Amino acid sequence: MPLLWENLARQLDSVRAAATTTTAVTDGTGGVSRQQRLQAALAAIEDKGNPLMVESLKAALEGREPRMELPELPQGLDSELSGPEAYLKAIPKNFQPPQ
């Protein structure tokens, strides 16, 4: 899960780092501006996309930082373990791979 968030953050950083909305980007986008690309992306995912992705796109269109209200972690997860380690720990003993 952390890799998913890191990937999303990297993508949002690259969108925010693009040229301003008044200039056209001509590096393979066919002269479509950043604002138009963001609006097209928002239209594509608005009804069926992840709420955090929708909020991120709306924030990018409005020129602000997104409000990320991440869900709470499920009870019983050990925050000291990484994703794969936590997953393996949650598997019943008879199904765990040999160590």
Side-chain angles (χ1 to χ4, degrees), residues 13-80:
D13 286 341
S14 67
V15 170
R16 288 188 193 110
T20 61
T21 58
T22 58
T23 61
V25 179
T26 58
D27 59 352
T29 61
V32 178
S33 73
R34 175 180 181 264
Q35 186 80 10
Q36 291 169 324
R37 290 193 319 267
L38 288 171
Q39 288 172 343
L42 180 60
I45 68 161
E46 199 158 23
D47 294 333
K48 54 191 168 273
N50 179 316
L52 294 175
M53 294 175 90
V54 172
E55 167 60 22
S56 297
L57 284 169
K58 286 181 179 178
L61 282 165
E62 296 168 6
R64 62 175 172 80
E65 287 293 319
R67 289 183 293 274
M68 296 291 191
E69 297 174 12
L70 299 174
E72 293 295 320
L73 291 174
Q75 294 295 325
L77 286 182
D78 186 0
S79 62
E80 298 293 320

Side-chain angles (χ1 to χ4, degrees), residues 5-21:
W5 291 116
E6 289 172 19
N7 187 22
L8 176 61
R10 250 185 279 126
Q11 289 176 4
L12 290 175
D13 286 341
S14 67
V15 170
R16 288 188 193 110
T20 61
T21 58

